[in-house]
DNA sequence: CGCCTTTGACCCGCGC
DNA sequence: GCGCGGGTCAAAGGCG
């Protein structure tokens, strides 16, 4: 998967819409220097308005076309945020808004990532629209990407938005269907995936609870909720209207349990792993091998120890960094100062990055707003404005079907 | 039979 | 205050 690319977009919540967002592009291409996704993450905002706190979104873009197999069955999303007890940090309340950041804006961002980073937050408003138009589909949350780069297959983009559309408050089921108003919503992470498959397998089971038509798109947006008891993670899936091959998947919340796949992996013998790695490894495995649906099975089949080992080797850098960097914010900061080094060229690298990224997500989720929050400022590359997801009230009749991702 | 999708109605924030 | 639009609820039905 040399060519795979990914972009991440984070959303965070709340308050109002600030419409500021940032996108960073990372070239994932082989040619480019490799960095882990994590690495690529934009620097964090130093803070932005407290006022607004909130909503940042991340967008991850992956080009799966090249590796279709991978996509389909694989769980790409290992990236997902999970709160597994084992692996993760204790769930934090996501309320705090917090940190803001300017980082993105910083010109300084080192990044050799290179890619381009542009920013624009200020103008967001205006920009938004234009962007939005361009990217209808993205309406997701504003993440947008440029076609060109995307095409490039390699390139990762990471975007952070501050605003979000509305908040969704997670609805807590209340007697009268009321939603919580305040919008404390966990950060939302969006993945952009190039694939023919609508619903990528991320290792978790989901139940569809709604579908709405997307404004300028022939494709509807589907809403899913994790079926695990007590787990309120939600995800939205929508196909890009402009690029049929692109699927936008956004996750909200942290899983409070292990994914079925992970569990499986665990069974296989990963036990000796230090806590926390199990999952990653598993993921790693998926990615690398992962082609095909059989991925799980295959993965399992593979020797864990070997993988584990690889994992360790590959990810040393990342891990260290991770440790060092508890929060995204921190991470970013560190990033600014010293760019981490990871390689993304090879599949392995990719893995690496994914692991990193994943961690990032975890952190983000765990710490929520703190981490990502605000970035308004900066943008590195493209700005993404928060778009509105379009949706009309009517429902499209398109069914998607698959439920279990 | 349990799990899941479908889908119209409803909730709710926001802009006008 | 009204309508829009995103997001969610929940009854009904489908499927393995
Ligand atoms: Zn879950």
């Amino acid at each position: 998967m040399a060519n795979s690319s990914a972009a991440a977009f984070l959303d965070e919540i709340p308050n109002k819409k600030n419409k500021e967002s940032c996108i960073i592009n990372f070239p994932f291409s082989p040619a480019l220097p490799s960095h882990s996704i994590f690495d690529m993450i934009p620097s964090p905002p130093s803070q932005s308005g407290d006022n607004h706190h909130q909503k940042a979104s991340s967008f991850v873009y992956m080009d799966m076309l090249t590796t279709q197999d991978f996509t389909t069955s694989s769980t790409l999303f290992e990236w997902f945020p999970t709160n597994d007890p084992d692996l993760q940090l204790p769930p934090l309340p996501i309320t705090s808004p917090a940190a803001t950041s300017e980082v993105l804006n910083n010109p300084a961002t080192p990044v050799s990532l290179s890619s381009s980073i542009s920013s624009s937050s200020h103008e967001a408003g205006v920009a938004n629209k234009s962007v939005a138009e361009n990217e209808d589909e993205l309406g997701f949350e504003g993440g947008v990407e440029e076609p060109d780069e995307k095409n490039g297959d390699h390139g990762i983009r990471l975007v952070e938005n501050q605003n979000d559309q509305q908040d969704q408050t997670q609805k807590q089921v209340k007697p009268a269907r009321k939603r919580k108003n305040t919008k404390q919503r966990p950060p939302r992470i969006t993945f952009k995936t190039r694939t023919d498959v609508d619903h990528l397998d991320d290792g978790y089971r989901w139940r569809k609870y709604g579908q709405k038509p997307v404004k300028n798109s022939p494709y509807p947006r589907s809403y899913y909720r994790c079926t695990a008891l007590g787990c309120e993670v939600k995800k939205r899936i929508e196909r890009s209207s402009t690029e049929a091959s692109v699927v936008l998947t956004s996750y909200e919340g942290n899983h409070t349990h292990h994914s079925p796949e992970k569990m499986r992996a665990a069974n296989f013998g990963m036990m000796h792993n230090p806590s926390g790695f199990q999952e990653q490894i598993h993921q790693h495995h998926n990615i690398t091998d992962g082609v095909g649906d059989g991925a799980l099975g295959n993965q399992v089949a593979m020797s864990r120890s070997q993988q584990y080992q690889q994992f360790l080797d590959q990810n040393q850098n990342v891990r260290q960094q991770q440790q060092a960097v508890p929060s995204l914010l921190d991470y970013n900061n560190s990033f600014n100062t010293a760019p981490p080094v990871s390689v993304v060229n090879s599949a392995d690298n990719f893995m690496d990055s994914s692991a990193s990224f994943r961690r990032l997500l975890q952190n983000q989720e765990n710490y929520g707003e703190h981490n990502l929050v605000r970035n308004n400022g900066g943008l590195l590359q493209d700005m993404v404005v928060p778009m509105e997801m379009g949706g009309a009230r009517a429902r499209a009749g398109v069914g998607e079907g698959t439920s279990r991702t």
Side-chain angles (χ1 to χ4, degrees):
Chain A
M1 343 208 130
N3 294 336
S4 45
S5 59
F9 193 158
L10 299 181
D11 273 350
E12 268 196 11
I13 339 194
N15 279 338
K16 281 192 145 222
K17 329 183 148 209
N18 310 323
K19 304 183 163 199
E20 301 178 355
S21 55
C22 309
I23 295 175
I24 297 173
N25 265 337
F26 302 95
F28 226 64
S29 61
L32 296 177
S34 41
H35 293 277
S36 63
I37 290 173
F38 211 172
D39 294 347
M40 308 180 107
I41 293 171
S43 19
S46 12
Q47 133 151 43
S48 49
D50 296 337
N51 303 344
H52 319 323
H53 327 295
Q54 356 349 73
K55 292 184 158 201
S57 47
S58 60
F59 177 67
V60 175
Y61 175 61
M62 301 184 70
D63 183 348
M64 318 276 311
L65 291 183
T66 55
T67 58
Q68 292 178 346
D69 299 347
F70 171 52
T71 9
T72 38
S73 50
S74 51
T75 57
L76 4 152
F77 292 65
E78 336 180 328
W79 312 26
F80 286 115
T82 55
N83 279 342
D84 290 0
D86 296 348
L87 311 180
Q88 313 206 3
L89 309 176
L92 299 182
I94 311 169
T95 13
S96 35
T100 54
S101 37
E102 336 157 318
V103 179
L104 296 181
N105 295 347
N106 290 347
T109 7
V111 186
S112 26
L113 303 175
S114 63
S115 15
S116 29
I117 303 179
S118 60
S119 59
S120 54
S121 28
H122 344 319
E123 4 166 42
V126 173
N128 289 346
K129 276 190 170 190
S130 58
V131 171
E133 292 177 356
N134 294 344
E135 305 175 355
D136 321 350
E137 49 227 83
L138 297 183
F140 241 17
E141 289 231 331
V144 172
E145 71 229 22
E146 299 174 353
D148 294 353
E149 292 188 354
K150 294 184 228 159
N151 293 347
D153 301 353
H154 15 306
I156 292 177
R157 274 186 190 181
L158 192 129
V159 175
E160 293 185 359
N161 272 350
Q162 277 204 349
N163 67 1
D164 202 99
Q165 336 174 10
Q166 311 176 271
D167 30 351
Q168 14 176 288
T169 39
Q170 308 170 300
K171 55 187 175 213
Q172 305 184 335
V173 180
K174 287 179 176 182
R177 261 190 205 192
K178 222 175 247 192
R179 303 176 183 172
K180 240 194 229 166
N181 24 340
T182 0
K183 351 198 142 207
Q184 296 184 349
R185 299 182 191 163
R188 190 179 294 166
I189 298 169
T190 302
F191 292 81
K192 190 170 191 178
T193 308
R194 224 171 245 278
T195 175
D196 292 339
V197 177
D198 290 340
H199 208 159
L200 299 173
D201 182 356
D202 55 19
Y204 290 89
R205 291 181 45 161
W206 304 90
R207 179 172 308 163
K208 187 174 185 175
Y209 65 87
Q211 180 172 305
K212 301 279 268 184
V214 175
K215 247 178 188 185
N216 294 307
S217 172
Y219 306 101
R221 174 179 302 132
S222 297
Y223 298 88
Y224 295 84
R225 179 171 302 155
C226 181
T227 61
L229 245 170
C231 182
E232 296 185 4
V233 176
K234 287 179 235 173
K235 89 174 178 183
R236 293 184 295 180
I237 298 177
E238 139 186 5
R239 187 170 283 280
S240 167
S241 61
T242 58
E243 291 182 77
S245 62
V246 174
V247 172
L248 298 172
T249 303
S250 66
Y251 293 88
E252 181 180 315
N254 300 319
H255 286 283
T256 57
H257 55 94
H258 288 284
S259 70
E261 289 184 6
K262 291 176 186 176
M263 295 302 281
R264 239 181 179 188
N267 291 339
F268 280 90
M270 299 281 300
M271 353 53 89
H272 59 288
N273 295 340
S275 63
F277 288 105
Q278 201 173 0
E279 191 172 340
Q280 291 178 351
I281 292 170
H282 175 73
Q283 292 175 347
H284 182 282
H285 189 115
N286 290 341
I287 293 171
T288 55
D289 296 354
V291 180
D293 303 326
L296 287 179
N298 292 340
Q299 292 174 350
V300 172
M302 307 273 303
S303 81
R304 298 292 173 176
S305 62
Q306 289 178 347
Q307 291 179 349
Y308 180 64
Q309 194 61 39
Q310 276 185 337
F311 174 79
L312 293 178
D313 293 343
Q314 293 177 348
N315 296 291
Q316 286 182 344
N317 292 339
V318 173
R319 288 184 298 168
Q320 291 176 350
Q321 290 177 352
Q322 289 175 344
Q323 290 176 347
V325 181
S327 67
L328 173 57
L329 184 57
D330 292 343
Y331 176 79
N332 289 339
N333 291 338
S334 63
F335 176 67
N336 290 340
T337 57
V341 178
S342 331
V343 179
V344 179
N345 298 344
S346 63
D348 291 349
N349 290 338
F350 181 76
M351 298 293 298
D352 203 17
S353 50
S354 65
S356 303
F357 183 70
R358 183 166 171 294
R359 174 89 26 142
L360 188 165
L361 293 177
Q362 291 177 352
N363 289 340
Q364 182 180 354
E365 288 183 355
N366 291 335
Y367 297 93
E369 301 175 351
H370 293 290
N371 297 338
L372 303 178
V373 185
R374 342 205 133 347
N375 335 274
N376 320 318
L379 309 183
L380 307 180
Q381 198 172 7
D382 303 343
M383 226 211 121
V384 174
V385 174
M387 311 181 38
E388 302 182 7
M389 304 201 117
R393 296 180 165 218
R395 72 192 47 223
V398 177
E400 287 191 1
T402 22
S403 56
R404 55 189 49 130
T405 357

